[in-house]
Amino acid sequence: MRNMPQINGTKDVVAYVTGNFQDRKFTPGDRIAQSWERSLLKHGLDPKSPQPVDILTHYEIQEQLQLHEDYLNIARNGLTGLSKRIADAGFSVLLTDESGLTLDARLPKMSKEIWQNAGLLVGSTWGESQAGTNGIGTCLEEKESMIIHHHEHFFANHSQLSCSVTPIFDPLGNLKGCLNASCLNASGSKESQFLTLQMICMYGRMIENSYFRQTYRGQITMNVKETNNFSDLAQEQLLAVNERGVVIGANRSAFAEYEHLLDRDQQLLGMQIEDIVGLNVDQLLTQSNGGALTVRHQSPKLLDEIEIAIRVPANKLITGSNESAIIKPKEASASTHKHKHPTLEELAGEDEGVLRNVQQIRHVINKDIPILITGETGTGKEAFARAIHDASDKKNGPFIALNCAAIPESLIESELFGYKSGSFTGANRKGMKGKLEQANGGTIFLDEIGDMPAQLQTRLLRALAEREIMPLGATAPITLDIQVISATHQDLMQHIKDKLFREDFYYRLNGMSLKLPTLRNRNDKDFIIDCILDRELGGSADVVFAPQARQILHDYHWPGNIRQLANVLRYALAVSKEKHITIDDLPIEVRASKELFKEEEVIPETEKPMSLSDFVNDEEGRRLVDALRQYRWNITQVSEELNICRSTVYRKMKKYNIVQPNDIY
């Protein structure tokens, strides 16, 4: 910005912005002043040079509407209801994505040209970096509900607007967009818009709650509120749990209510529901008769008595039983594991980051968007590709996997595109369908795409762009209807710099990028261990881990990731006695990283307690010790006996300093 004076701090920004406009004779609040500062210094905008609102092209708008189709469908009823209530007062209603792009606009009955001139239409972009301080852009920056009134806007050509805005979050706490109501040339003060803001906030929460219910319609969900409190639908606290009682989703009210009760290093997602409301999922389902009754309970975390209304999806009901109306978590798990391949939710487990990835995948499935999966070897790239296929509309079609690194360069073209009979000497006399044709109507999974020869990338790029192939010797092209998923552990951007990978091919494959975390960085290792045992090794119920052995599995760096963990568990079970896994049953390279456990097991004779029961003074602790002894330290059986979760058993063992003895067998 030319001829701009030296500016140091917010006061100078306010002086500069207000000094350029004779009508700005007011002192902005802190939030507006900070937004002006961002607009001026961070985004490089000049209040003396107002910019028109950017509008996407028709093609770009259609592309974005398709990408956000689910979000729009969920929000549509809320937009219609809100517009009916405020349109006659001269308000437009806008729904945006997280970048400030307007996806839907409901306008009052007046000249469309007026609203178009104001930039209030589908395809307009209101990010703060483009439009300066404004209702939509600043709300998305601050992630708070707010009013931006007249001259609080950074650019003077927006000063005729008064905007009331609230952000919208998805059930994983991610910013999804915002809901905005704007009027032109409102004569009242900013305070006159407060009632409009309250209505916007209410409809925003209703859209979020609809989003939550749609996302978790196949999961156990619950609505928690204080007993005898007035039921405010916009403020209801919604939680979704899996069959292990782990919180996998929440609405904004629940995040706000419970996260301040958690320890500093805890997150609401991934918590056991028992640690929040005081009852585990089995107890909740039993006391509610499978969701038919409301449960009243005094939670140890919350001061007031709470009511919990539970919704159990139909596929989890048992018919013809008066004693129980629900599938117990163990039974549901057994049923689930009969499927050959794990689902997206099973792969996500209880790790917050992977749960967010799955949420994003759900948004792009069936949108004809190619997916690129990256991650270290053994993180489950092919498993995710199969789960995406099984969750898509093409699940009844073929899933064809091609390892681009495992096929000789001379054969990979025929493997991909195929050939007709008699095409060349030595060819199969019946010809051969290529992998792309075999995948027609289904999914092609291109594994290790980073190792594909450069010259073949050109041919595949053309085939994916035109959605047709010409097998060698064919006289007419074959039309392709396929879902494309690719994967690599390579750094493709570095390959592009080194001229080993085509940049245009990279962007053709990368409609959405999914980076899988390493096993060492996942926080749900117990869940993964149990899943591997259940799915591949015949069940986890009879397997007992010495606490030190389990701790080694938690702390090991796992260079081979989940694939290595599965091999380690197979080995440990094979050499263990009666499925009781100790440190000595682990492979030497794994246990070598934690030899210190051997030293910790040697306790001076004078320090050894004569009796665990004598050592534990608390009655709860003594009951736990008795159960552990009764079931020979089988944590699964102990959890069933005490009606608590396995993770709670381990937590209580740690609380009472209970360590499994080495001589229980």
Side-chain angles (χ1 to χ4, degrees):
M1 289 176 287
R2 292 172 293 180
N3 303 321
M4 190 177 76
Q6 183 69 31
I7 292 179
N8 296 306
T10 306
K11 288 186 178 180
D12 286 354
V13 170
V14 171
Y16 178 75
V17 175
T18 56
N20 279 285
F21 304 96
Q22 59 181 357
D23 294 331
R24 297 201 187 194
K25 300 186 182 301
F26 74 100
T27 301
D30 290 343
R31 184 180 285 169
I32 302 301
Q34 290 164 7
S35 177
W36 283 1
E37 185 173 2
R38 287 194 301 268
S39 301
L40 189 67
L41 302 182
K42 179 181 177 181
H43 305 313
L45 303 175
D46 187 350
K48 293 184 292 185
S49 303
Q51 302 293 320
V53 176
D54 288 338
I55 309 293
L56 298 188
T57 65
H58 176 75
Y59 174 79
E60 291 171 330
I61 291 172
Q62 293 305 311
E63 190 175 46
Q64 290 300 315
L65 293 181
Q66 184 182 30
L67 182 63
H68 293 91
E69 182 180 2
D70 292 341
Y71 174 42
L72 285 165
N73 287 339
I74 290 169
R76 187 163 288 125
N77 287 339
L79 290 171
T80 301
L82 175 61
S83 180
K84 285 181 179 179
R85 285 162 176 78
I86 63 176
D88 289 344
F91 285 91
S92 65
V93 176
L94 275 64
L95 181 77
T96 79
D97 69 3
E98 70 278 8
S99 71
L101 170 66
T102 304
L103 300 172
D104 199 341
R106 308 298 174 90
L107 307 176
K109 293 179 180 179
M110 60 175 68
S111 172
K112 284 188 177 180
E113 185 177 352
I114 296 175
W115 298 106
Q116 290 173 352
N117 291 339
L120 302 178
L121 69 165
V122 172
S124 58
T125 54
W126 286 93
E128 192 180 72
S129 62
Q130 301 157 298
T133 305
N134 71 88
I136 291 170
T138 305
C139 169
L140 294 173
E141 285 280 343
E142 299 283 348
K143 299 181 176 62
E144 295 285 347
S145 302
M146 62 178 60
I147 299 170
I148 303 292
H149 190 64
H150 291 335
H151 290 298
E152 290 180 333
H153 288 82
F154 186 76
F155 288 125
N157 59 327
H158 299 151
S159 62
Q160 79 275 25
L161 292 169
S162 182
C163 307
S164 300
V165 203
T166 190
I168 294 175
F169 293 88
D170 71 16
L172 295 176
N174 299 315
L175 183 64
K176 191 66 184 172
C178 71
L179 182 64
N180 170 77
S182 295
C183 60
L184 292 169
N185 303 313
S187 58
S189 64
K190 182 175 182 176
E191 288 73 17
S192 67
Q193 301 300 314
F194 283 177
L195 186 59
T196 304
L197 179 63
Q198 295 306 310
M199 186 173 292
I200 293 295
C201 290
M202 180 180 72
Y203 273 90
R205 300 302 78 74
M206 290 167 66
I207 291 172
E208 288 176 343
N209 293 348
S210 295
Y211 203 133
F212 173 93
R213 291 190 174 94
Q214 178 69 13
T215 301
Y216 297 108
R217 60 190 181 277
Q219 299 286 344
I220 299 169
T221 58
M222 51 193 69
N223 184 345
V224 184
K225 66 176 182 178
E226 294 178 4
T227 305
N228 298 325
N229 266 14
F230 175 74
S231 179
D232 183 350
L233 294 179
Q235 296 300 321
E236 57 185 348
Q237 297 155 23
L238 303 178
L239 296 167
V241 299
N242 64 16
E243 290 157 347
R244 294 162 55 94
V246 175
V247 177
I248 58 174
N251 70 345
R252 195 193 322 188
S253 297
F255 276 115
E257 178 68 22
Y258 300 126
E259 290 217 322
H260 75 279
L261 300 173
L262 306 178
D263 297 335
R264 182 173 298 180
D265 60 343
Q266 287 181 313
Q267 298 270 345
L268 179 59
L269 299 182
M271 289 282 292
Q272 285 284 339
I273 190 64
E274 178 182 11
D275 295 334
I276 299 170
V277 303
L279 295 171
N280 64 35
V281 70
D282 287 347
Q283 293 167 327
L284 286 165
L285 293 171
T286 300
Q287 292 186 26
S288 68
N289 191 25
L293 305 173
T294 298
V295 177
R296 289 196 177 196
H297 181 67
Q298 178 66 58
S299 167
K301 284 274 188 181
L302 307 173
L303 296 177
D304 298 316
E305 185 182 51
I306 55 175
E307 289 183 356
I308 309 168
I310 302 170
R311 176 190 171 275
V312 182
N315 62 358
K316 290 182 170 58
L317 296 179
I318 296 177
T319 58
S321 173
N322 294 326
E323 294 182 358
S324 176
I326 55 143
I327 294 178
K328 298 294 185 182
K330 185 176 178 181
E331 296 169 323
S333 177
S335 174
T336 300
H337 292 313
K338 290 179 183 177
H339 297 293
K340 184 177 179 181
H341 303 296
T343 65
L344 283 170
E345 282 68 28
E346 287 174 325
L347 290 171
E350 297 166 3
D351 184 272
E352 182 180 354
V354 190
L355 284 167
R356 294 181 192 278
N357 283 337
V358 168
Q359 183 81 7
Q360 294 302 314
I361 290 171
R362 290 286 185 189
H363 292 162
V364 303
I365 284 179
N366 304 323
K367 302 286 175 46
D368 195 25
I369 296 174
I371 298 174
L372 174 63
I373 306 175
T374 61
E376 290 184 5
T377 297
T379 50
K381 296 187 287 293
E382 182 168 352
F384 264 91
R386 286 186 178 275
I388 293 169
H389 170 75
D390 291 341
S392 73
D393 290 344
K394 298 186 184 299
K395 61 186 176 183
N396 294 322
F399 177 88
I400 303 297
L402 176 68
N403 189 325
C404 301
I407 301 175
E409 188 171 333
S410 59
L411 296 179
I412 194 169
E413 184 161 343
S414 61
E415 283 285 334
L416 268 175
F417 301 104
Y419 56 84
K420 295 298 182 182
S421 174
S423 298
F424 54 89
T425 303
N428 188 314
R429 63 181 183 178
K430 294 182 179 180
M432 186 185 80
K433 282 186 176 182
K435 296 294 186 183
L436 290 171
E437 187 178 354
Q438 292 175 36
N440 229 350
T443 299
I444 182 73
F445 173 55
L446 303 171
D447 198 9
E448 301 301 349
I449 192 72
D451 296 303
M452 176 174 280
Q455 66 271 21
L456 189 58
Q457 295 172 26
T458 304
R459 280 214 58 192
L460 186 55
L461 171 64
R462 182 185 180 107
L464 296 180
E466 298 179 357
R467 290 304 173 102
E468 63 180 26
I469 57 171
M470 180 73 81
L472 186 62
T475 57
I478 297 172
T479 301
L480 293 178
D481 175 23
I482 56 174
Q483 177 175 241
V484 179
I485 305 175
S486 51
T488 183
H489 69 279
Q490 306 277 13
D491 183 349
L492 292 186
M493 295 307 295
Q494 186 60 48
H495 273 32
I496 291 172
K497 292 178 183 177
D498 296 339
K499 307 298 183 183
L500 298 174
F501 203 82
R502 291 181 58 115
E503 186 173 10
D504 52 357
F505 187 44
Y506 171 78
Y507 289 112
R508 171 63 62 180
L509 297 174
N510 189 14
M512 173 192 171
S513 180
L514 170 64
K515 183 173 178 59
L516 299 183
T518 61
L519 178 57
R520 59 185 170 273
N521 290 328
R522 289 190 62 152
N523 57 20
D524 59 347
K525 294 187 182 70
D526 280 328
F527 178 89
I528 295 173
I529 290 169
D530 287 345
C531 281
I532 292 173
L533 292 173
D534 286 340
R535 180 173 290 279
E536 299 186 25
L537 306 177
S540 61
D542 298 328
V543 179
V544 179
F545 282 91
Q548 297 91 341
R550 185 176 283 270
Q551 190 61 48
I552 287 177
L553 297 181
H554 275 261
D555 296 340
Y556 185 61
H557 62 288
W558 298 114
N561 293 292
I562 295 174
R563 184 183 296 125
Q564 183 188 11
L565 172 61
N567 289 333
V568 167
L569 291 174
R570 289 190 188 97
Y571 172 86
L573 276 179
V575 302
S576 65
K577 295 179 180 179
E578 299 180 2
K579 296 187 177 181
H580 175 244
I581 298 175
T582 66
I583 295 177
D584 292 334
D585 298 323
L586 300 177
I588 188 168
E589 69 272 12
V590 175
R591 68 175 186 262
S593 66
K594 280 290 182 181
E595 284 297 325
L596 58 92
F597 276 105
K598 297 269 188 173
E599 300 173 3
E600 292 176 353
E601 290 173 2
V602 180
I603 304 174
E605 188 68 31
T606 55
E607 296 180 15
K608 288 183 180 179
M610 296 301 295
S611 167
L612 276 174
S613 296
D614 293 337
F615 179 74
V616 178
N617 296 320
D618 189 276
E619 178 64 28
E620 179 186 57
R622 284 195 291 272
R623 287 202 309 272
L624 177 58
V625 170
D626 291 342
L628 288 165
R629 283 174 167 168
Q630 178 184 350
Y631 292 102
R632 300 174 68 82
W633 297 79
N634 185 313
I635 303 301
T636 298
Q637 293 178 354
V638 171
S639 69
E640 292 174 353
E641 171 67 21
L642 300 180
N643 203 20
I644 58 179
C645 302
R646 286 164 53 96
S647 59
T648 304
V649 174
Y650 284 115
R651 193 160 48 249
K652 291 185 183 299
M653 287 174 65
K654 182 177 180 181
K655 173 182 177 182
Y656 295 113
N657 198 24
I658 299 172
V659 178
Q660 177 178 328
N662 294 326
D663 58 350
I664 65 170
Y665 288 99

